Amino acid sequence: MGALRVTWLYFRVGVLNEFQYRANFYVQVLQSAVAVGTALAVLALVYSHTDDLNGWGKSELLVVMGIQILLGGAIRMSIQPNMERLMEDVRDGRLDFALTKPVDSQLLVSAREVRIWRAVDVVSGAIVAGTGVAGLEQSVGLRDALLFPGMLAVGALMIYCFWLVLATWSFWVVRMHTTIELFEGIYQTGRWPVTIYPGWLRYSVTFLVPIAFAVTVPAEALTSRLEWSTVVLALAFGAALFAFTRWFWRFGLRRYSGASA
Amino acid sequence: MSAPAASPALPEIGRVRAIVDFYGATMRMAVQEQLQYRVQNYLYMLGMIAEPVIYLVVWSTIAEERGGSVAGITAGEFAAYYIVWTLVRNMNIVFTPYGWEWRIREGDFSAQLLRPIHPLHYDVAYFAGWKFVVILLWLPVAFVLSLVFEPTFTTGWLDVAVFAVAVWGAYLIRTMFLELLGMISFWTTRVSAIFELAIAAELLLSGRLVPLELMPGWAETVAAFLPFQWTFYFPIQALVGDLSTGELLGGLAMQLLWIVVLTSVLLGVFRVAVKRYSAVGN
């Protein structure tokens, strides 16, 4: 309960803060429109040369693309700003201020920042995915409709874990900010169903960087191709990753010596 | 005795030598600085390599599904295109337009204005020096990518020579283009949407996304009037494509033309922009 209250409080403060800069909303809308427009142009280009990409039709790929944009918005709205701040705080020694508070430190470093205008991408991603679903030949079944939000949440959790593990590295390695570019680059693989990639890359973007679980698996739910074995694997891997992340965070924290040391 | 002029103009020879010295020193400094951050440079490069690998996989998949080629391009030729792409893209990384926003906001630009040399020289020289580190780090990456994706291409010595010049032409064109975008920061602080739009146009019309022959005909026509294809498509095609000697040399001439045009526009806009600048901060 306490955890929820703290998260909600930080969320509200963050949102109030961003509401001071309303013009940024319009900038974000324009940027989002450019990004979606580019994605659609690429999709149109691909399907002007073929009708079927490795078993995925145009509407099905719209679903994948929409989920990738939606989740990307969520990542940039909440996960990434928090992790960037964490990495900065470790470098400057300002993490002391978070650690001395009587709340779980992992929760605190994960909830302090929110960039609410980036939720525009969540909306535009949802619209793209919705358009894709509307164009599907086979409508979404009840089981899949229920599994979709669950799988999306598990996927988002895994991306969060991945980011926290990466940010925790900053206890050992100081200059970590290129990791953002690295992640942004690799996240683009989620634009396409991971099944098109060669084996080494498919495994990397499934287990090393869990993009397959975060984007392709929810998309499989909406396009009626999700198997129960995948659901079980996603849940098991998500749980294991979360446990590891929690351990790794505490392990890293012991390395932290603060500003004055 | 009359008072000496504020700063006697250097004789022409001295000025040229001073600029050459400046470039030499700045480039050496960039090399030394960037060699310290090898891991960071590598992480950056790896993040960037995801982009061409994705395009490559998508288009080779389509090529195979269509019986071996799309618009006459085979999977092996796509591999060659996108592997060379990685070097060209690296050469195309220049001072970001967002950097201008930062320089102006932080008042950093004031210090640059005090130097007896046009601020543009620093950006051109520093990133040019950095490129030598980038090329060095790129070699193993290219080797691994070639092992994985098995590119096919035949290349003559003229192709290699033109490519070696064209990547630097691409570097200069893109430098001038992005610096020109950066100039917008002198008029407004909300520049990101404009930048993103320009970068999106570049992505589609430069050959960065796909070899231009895959684009619809009208897009190719539009691209002919823009500088973008000379920064991606032409250098890559010079090495892996089937260009005639005339096309190769003509391409270099087009690059030169665009460098001259963009540099002139940039210098003109810079002169106006500087007058609008009022220092912020210390």
Side-chain angles (χ1 to χ4, degrees):
Chain A
M1 252 354 264
L4 275 180
R5 268 220 325 273
V6 169
T7 313
W8 174 238
L9 191 66
Y10 272 107
F11 182 80
R12 261 183 37 211
V13 172
V15 168
L16 285 177
N17 228 330
E18 287 256 282
F19 265 42
Q20 297 176 78
Y21 308 100
R22 264 168 236 199
N24 285 350
F25 168 73
Y26 297 103
V27 174
Q28 190 65 49
V29 168
L30 280 175
Q31 253 177 287
S32 198
V34 171
V36 170
T38 314
L40 293 180
V42 173
L43 197 70
L45 185 64
V46 164
Y47 281 94
S48 73
H49 291 280
T50 185
D51 305 322
D52 167 294
L53 185 70
N54 204 253
W56 293 71
K58 195 173 182 180
S59 294
E60 294 173 313
L61 257 184
L62 263 184
V63 174
V64 176
M65 228 165 233
I67 295 173
Q68 196 258 4
I69 295 171
L70 180 156
L71 193 67
I75 293 169
R76 279 193 299 275
M77 177 178 92
S78 167
I79 299 175
Q80 213 157 293
N82 276 301
M83 296 304 135
E84 272 174 57
R85 177 158 167 204
L86 171 59
M87 291 190 277
E88 263 168 49
D89 279 2
V90 172
R91 202 177 52 215
D92 311 343
R94 273 181 303 169
L95 190 62
D96 295 11
F97 299 123
L99 296 181
T100 45
K101 292 199 170 75
V103 193
D104 182 84
S105 60
Q106 187 189 338
L107 174 77
L108 201 63
V109 299
S110 313
R112 293 184 293 176
E113 296 279 329
V114 57
R115 303 262 188 281
I116 196 65
W117 299 134
R118 295 187 183 161
V120 170
D121 277 341
V122 176
V123 176
S124 58
I127 294 171
V128 172
T131 315
V133 169
L136 290 175
E137 282 169 25
Q138 195 180 355
S139 60
V140 186
L142 181 64
R143 177 200 82 132
D144 288 330
L146 292 174
L147 275 175
F148 168 70
M151 288 294 104
L152 195 61
V154 171
L157 179 77
M158 285 192 221
I159 297 282
Y160 157 74
C161 288
F162 171 79
W163 253 114
L164 185 59
V165 169
L166 214 61
T168 304
W169 271 102
S170 58
F171 289 118
W172 290 273
V173 186
V174 181
R175 282 182 76 144
M176 285 291 286
H177 57 258
T178 28
T179 47
I180 298 160
E181 320 262 354
L182 182 65
F183 178 79
E184 292 262 336
I186 296 175
Y187 186 66
Q188 296 306 316
T189 52
R191 275 284 153 92
W192 310 90
V194 293
T195 43
I196 70 167
Y197 297 116
W200 59 273
L201 186 58
R202 196 165 59 236
Y203 286 111
S204 308
V205 297
T206 305
F207 296 107
L208 221 53
V209 190
I211 293 167
F213 284 120
V215 181
T216 310
V217 170
E220 281 179 343
L222 286 185
T223 54
S224 319
R225 53 183 93 205
L226 184 61
E227 287 164 19
W228 280 112
S229 56
T230 312
V231 177
V232 173
L233 182 65
L235 289 175
F237 187 68
L241 188 61
F242 186 75
F244 170 77
T245 306
R246 184 132 186 94
W247 170 83
F248 191 63
W249 163 252
R250 293 195 173 163
F251 179 71
L253 208 51
R254 269 181 261 145
R255 283 269 317 183
Y256 179 69
S257 47
S260 49
Chain B
M1 204 176 90
S2 61
S7 74
L10 285 167
E12 197 57 35
I13 276 286
R15 218 161 50 197
V16 171
R17 192 178 301 149
I19 297 254
V20 171
D21 279 354
F22 174 79
Y23 270 78
T26 310
M27 284 167 79
R28 270 198 306 279
M29 192 180 78
V31 169
Q32 283 166 1
E33 201 173 307
Q34 293 303 328
L35 272 178
Q36 295 177 64
Y37 301 112
R38 288 176 301 269
V39 173
Q40 190 172 339
N41 269 310
Y42 250 122
L43 286 179
Y44 188 77
M45 204 182 268
L46 288 178
M48 219 188 59
I49 274 164
E51 186 186 338
V53 166
I54 296 167
Y55 302 152
L56 172 54
V57 169
V58 168
W59 290 102
S60 346
T61 308
I62 298 174
E64 267 148 38
E65 277 174 2
R66 298 196 30 170
S69 70
V70 191
I73 308 173
T74 64
E77 284 162 351
F78 275 119
Y81 188 90
Y82 286 114
I83 291 172
V84 176
W85 185 107
T86 56
L87 178 65
V88 174
R89 171 75 183 110
N90 269 302
M91 293 300 291
N92 270 329
I93 293 178
V94 296
F95 187 73
T96 153
Y98 292 102
W100 276 105
E101 198 188 348
W102 182 85
R103 275 177 180 170
I104 293 166
R105 198 180 58 230
E106 300 284 317
D108 197 56
F109 184 55
S110 305
Q112 281 193 314
L113 279 179
L114 289 176
R115 295 191 181 145
I117 189 167
H118 198 291
L120 186 63
H121 284 301
Y122 178 79
D123 294 345
V124 176
Y126 187 89
F127 280 82
W130 190 348
K131 294 303 166 219
F132 289 99
V133 180
V134 165
I135 293 170
L136 193 71
L137 294 177
W138 172 80
L139 291 172
V141 173
F143 179 70
V144 172
L145 286 178
S146 301
L147 285 184
V148 175
F149 290 106
E150 298 166 357
T152 49
F153 59 100
T154 46
T155 290
W157 64 268
L158 184 66
D159 294 343
V160 177
V162 169
F163 175 75
V165 179
V167 288
W168 290 100
Y171 166 72
L172 284 175
I173 294 174
R174 203 158 189 273
T175 300
M176 300 312 162
F177 177 64
L178 289 196
E179 295 268 353
L180 200 53
L181 274 183
M183 291 297 116
I184 301 172
S185 310
F186 282 92
W187 281 269
T188 169
T189 51
R190 302 191 188 280
V191 282
S192 54
I194 304 171
F195 294 165
E196 301 293 319
L197 190 62
I199 298 297
E202 186 196 40
L203 175 75
L204 296 172
L205 297 170
S206 65
R208 174 173 173 173
L209 179 70
V210 285
L212 283 178
E213 56 260 42
L214 288 178
M215 297 294 288
W218 59 267
E220 270 187 275
T221 314
V222 174
F225 293 97
L226 294 169
F228 302 138
Q229 62 167 310
W230 306 106
T231 62
F232 277 93
Y233 185 62
F234 171 65
I236 301 174
Q237 282 298 80
L239 193 62
V240 305
D242 216 7
L243 300 185
S244 66
T245 308
E247 285 171 319
L248 287 171
L249 299 179
L252 289 182
M254 280 306 286
Q255 282 196 322
L256 186 64
L257 178 72
W258 275 112
I259 293 169
V260 171
V261 169
L262 286 171
T263 310
S264 317
V265 175
L266 175 62
L267 291 178
V269 173
F270 183 85
R271 201 169 295 172
V272 183
V274 155
K275 290 188 188 137
R276 287 190 49 95
Y277 175 70
S278 61
V280 183
N282 34 22

